[in-house]
Amino acid sequence: MATSRFAPTASGRAHPGTLLAGLLAWLDARRSGARLILRIEDIDRERCTPALAAALIGDLDWFGLDFDAVERQSEHAADHLAALERLAALGRLYPSTMSRRQVTALGRRAPDGGWAYDNSERDTPLPDDWRSADIALRVRLPEGRVAPVDEGGVDLEQNPAQSFGDPVVRTRSGGATYHLAVVVDDHHAGVDRIVRGRDLATASATQAALRRLLGWPDPVYRHHLLVLESDASGKLAKSHGSISGDELRQITPERLCGELARLAGLADTSAPCRPRDLLDGFCWQRISPADAVWDHTKLRDSP
Ligand code: GLU
């Protein structure tokens, strides 16, 4: 049986983009019989509080999504540490003091629109006291192209050691970063299928390179459309919570689901429905390849 997961970050309540990603991961798993794990990503303890995690879980339940297991990433610190030990034993870890601002000043764009690191600290030896030292650690990635497979044909191929540069895998405070935690948690949960938004497609090659260093196989990916919202200046961006969780809850979950089904290409109209009503007609060929724009006023103002 395949194992899939939905892994939202608990830095806020669910927004339309979260619900679309959850809906598509849920439909994919329930339709194919895969086991589906909800992993609440909460390793950033400042942004991700237990109260937000509980509210997010409540939002998903309200919307009509159920899961075969619920995990919290913050409970996996021992696994993250074991992976760091392994990378250290392989001679791949090195300290990095370059700040975000210094990386930006290097002036080379990365595939996600951020800034690439130049691997200039690779020769810095890992100090013996690295476990307790107040330093960030990067992992020296192997050179070469990595091409994880996206079932929907999204091109994931990169030479991540160059396109992004070596990733930070441990922060100064000693915690695992996003890339390391995702790779370790997916492996330990037996995840072999990852359905997630297209904004994360460019992270796949770095994650695959890390996975290979750790000796673990790649999952199959499916990256899907995003829901965009316009910000105050009218610029479209990934839906990120400009609509508050409480505001979203003023609409019924059925109307929300109907609108998301229409935006995703699963329905011609936004007739109210529950996720389970969409199961029969679900297949990826019907899902729109183009990002969709969320018009909250339309839902809010119509009865
Ligand atoms: N937690 C990440 C997010 O909410 C997704 C992690 C992943 O799917 O790899 O954007």
Side-chain angles (χ1 to χ4, degrees):
M1 189 203 282
T3 300
S4 182
R5 49 61 159 188
F6 174 48
T9 301
S11 53
R13 298 279 300 273
H15 49 72
T18 322
L19 295 177
L20 178 73
L23 176 65
L24 292 176
W26 186 90
L27 287 169
D28 177 84
R30 294 291 178 249
R31 183 79 194 173
S32 67
R35 182 164 180 266
L36 181 63
I37 297 170
L38 171 64
R39 183 172 71 231
I40 298 293
E41 305 222 316
D42 60 349
I43 48 174
D44 182 343
R45 302 303 277 174
E46 273 169 34
R47 289 170 62 230
C48 308
T49 62
L52 278 177
L56 177 57
I57 292 172
D59 289 340
L60 299 173
D61 181 54
W62 167 82
F63 184 63
L65 303 179
D66 66 330
F67 300 91
D68 302 309
V70 179
E71 299 180 356
R72 283 178 177 69
Q73 191 158 53
S74 56
E75 290 163 359
H76 300 165
D79 293 334
H80 303 157
L81 187 59
L84 285 169
E85 291 286 353
R86 191 140 157 203
L87 293 167
L90 290 168
R92 291 280 173 180
L93 288 187
Y94 64 91
S96 171
T97 57
M98 209 185 266
S99 66
R100 215 176 274 254
R101 184 187 290 190
Q102 286 170 312
V103 173
T104 304
L106 295 171
R108 193 165 59 86
R109 285 285 183 189
D112 65 350
W115 301 96
Y117 171 66
D118 62 358
N119 303 335
S120 56
E121 298 161 296
R122 273 187 173 179
D123 294 334
T124 318
L126 184 67
D128 290 339
D129 68 347
W130 66 269
R131 292 172 193 81
S132 56
D134 181 19
I135 42 170
L137 301 175
R138 291 186 188 266
V139 64
R140 182 169 51 83
L141 293 182
E143 287 298 332
R145 301 200 72 77
V146 182
V149 175
D150 183 283
E151 228 179 36
V154 177
D155 181 7
L156 303 178
E157 183 173 340
Q158 281 175 38
N159 176 354
Q162 290 309 317
S163 55
F164 280 95
D166 294 338
V168 174
V169 284
R170 198 200 73 163
T171 63
R172 282 179 57 184
S173 53
T177 61
Y178 160 65
H179 282 310
L180 185 72
V182 159
V183 164
V184 170
D185 294 350
D186 284 340
H187 173 71
H188 286 293
V191 169
D192 51 9
R193 183 163 180 77
I194 294 183
V195 175
R196 62 184 184 182
R198 205 154 42 207
D199 54 325
L200 294 164
T202 53
S204 305
T206 295
Q207 291 169 9
L210 262 177
R211 211 178 277 121
R212 284 166 203 188
L213 279 178
L214 291 161
W216 300 333
D218 275 349
V220 170
Y221 287 95
R222 167 75 74 166
H223 290 92
H224 57 70
L225 78 154
L226 302 176
V227 179
L228 307 178
E229 285 171 34
S230 50
D231 65 14
S233 64
K235 198 174 136 228
L236 287 176
K238 181 187 168 186
S239 159
H240 50 44
S242 62
I243 306 155
S244 74
D246 290 336
E247 208 177 332
L248 208 58
R249 288 252 193 149
Q250 282 164 20
I251 307 165
T252 65
E254 291 82 2
R255 290 185 60 223
L256 206 50
C257 188
E259 177 64 359
L260 287 172
R262 187 186 69 80
L263 290 176
L266 275 174
D268 296 335
T269 68
S270 45
C273 62
R274 298 292 280 171
R276 61 175 175 273
D277 302 328
L278 299 168
L279 268 174
D280 271 352
F282 176 74
C283 68
W284 282 104
Q285 285 71 22
R286 292 185 61 195
I287 299 295
S288 162
D291 290 342
V293 177
W294 185 258
D295 180 358
H296 197 65
T297 46
K298 197 179 100 186
L299 271 116
R300 191 190 53 205
D301 298 342
S302 66

